[in-house]
Amino acid sequence: MEIVNYFDKTFELFLSSYQLDEIVKTLAEDINKQYENVQEDIILVGILNGSFVFISDLVRKLSFEFEVEFAKLKSYDGTESTGDIDIVLDVPVSIEGKHIIIIEDIVDTGLTIEEFINNVKRKNPLSVKTCTLLSKPEVHNDIIDIDFVGLEISPEFVIGYGLDINGLGRQLSGVYRLVT
Ligand code: 5GP
Ligand code: MG
């Protein structure tokens, strides 16, 4: 499928499932190198809803032991970042003394991940690192330091592979970008 339509908008294929698999593989190799010799507990915290597809592919490529938890944040309305971040559901377990890897689908303004990193750091974890599938460095001007970035993209709106437009399009196996 090269073209998909949602509401009155048209999206074209940007990253195929094959390309996504390569990106996730490279990310996993990087993460494996950094955590293979860690002795303490590690928790991957996926940020819902967008990261659920990415995290399910990523965890199966990691070669160390860890727990998986989720937090739910909300900032987007349609195709615009609102800048207003709500922690709708916080991590339901203690993260004190554990290594935390936050997993995001995409970093746009960086406000969501920044708010969540601060929230996690207040709970005394041993370390906090961040991983995102996609990043829009031109929007956040690299103010936010992400440890593991799958792919940097230009400031355009994308859907698929977990990413939605008003709740729809998450099931698409590729990533599609808005045709303007
Ligand atoms: P930020 O706070 O960095 O501006 O936005 C982060 C959140 O907004 C992401 O977790 C994601 O859910 C959503 N978001 C940002 N850019 C896009 C995009 O291009 N497409 C979709 N579907 N969601 C996005
Ligand atoms: Mg998200």
Side-chain angles (χ1 to χ4, degrees):
M1 233 179 353
E2 291 292 324
I3 298 284
V4 293
N5 291 292
Y6 283 94
F7 305 100
D8 54 350
K9 296 179 170 63
T10 301
F11 294 82
E12 63 183 5
L13 185 63
F14 172 46
L15 299 168
S16 66
S17 52
Y18 176 78
Q19 287 171 300
L20 287 163
D21 191 57
E22 292 297 309
I23 293 169
V24 178
K25 241 183 238 163
T26 306
L27 269 175
E29 282 166 13
D30 261 22
I31 298 173
N32 282 334
K33 271 185 218 135
Q34 292 219 15
Y35 288 87
E36 64 191 355
N37 294 318
V38 168
Q39 301 299 319
E40 302 86 4
D41 292 348
I42 300 167
I43 308 184
L44 260 62
V45 179
I47 300 185
L48 292 172
N49 296 333
S51 74
F52 79 103
V53 178
F54 171 43
I55 205 168
S56 75
D57 280 343
L58 181 69
V59 293
R60 286 175 284 173
K61 293 180 166 69
L62 296 179
S63 51
F64 52 92
E65 289 300 323
F66 52 86
E67 292 171 43
V68 180
E69 291 292 346
F70 291 94
K72 189 172 165 98
L73 280 78
K74 206 175 176 299
S75 75
Y76 247 64
D77 196 11
T79 59
E80 296 291 327
S81 186
T82 63
D84 234 356
I85 323 302
D86 272 354
I87 298 182
V88 182
L89 176 89
D90 206 350
V91 192
V93 297
S94 168
I95 59 177
E96 193 172 332
K98 304 195 173 176
H99 295 287
I100 305 302
I101 312 175
I102 299 169
I103 312 289
E104 248 294 29
D105 49 0
I106 187 163
V107 175
D108 185 23
T109 64
L111 293 168
T112 305
I113 193 119
E114 188 178 41
E115 168 89 9
F116 192 64
I117 291 168
N118 291 336
N119 169 286
V120 166
K121 282 186 174 162
R122 280 195 291 271
K123 297 173 178 169
N124 301 316
L126 208 47
S127 72
V128 182
K129 286 196 191 278
T130 48
C131 168
T132 187
L133 176 70
L134 301 172
S135 173
K136 301 179 191 171
E138 286 168 53
V139 181
H140 56 80
N141 299 316
D142 289 321
I143 301 167
I144 312 292
D145 190 22
I146 309 289
D147 300 282
F148 308 100
V149 177
L151 184 71
E152 293 188 339
I153 66 170
S154 55
E156 51 199 347
F157 186 74
V158 293
I159 61 167
Y161 198 68
L163 291 148
D164 73 307
I165 174 155
N166 292 329
L168 300 183
R170 297 189 195 276
Q171 81 288 357
L172 298 165
S173 47
V175 168
Y176 291 73
R177 69 176 157 212
L178 184 62
V179 178
T180 45

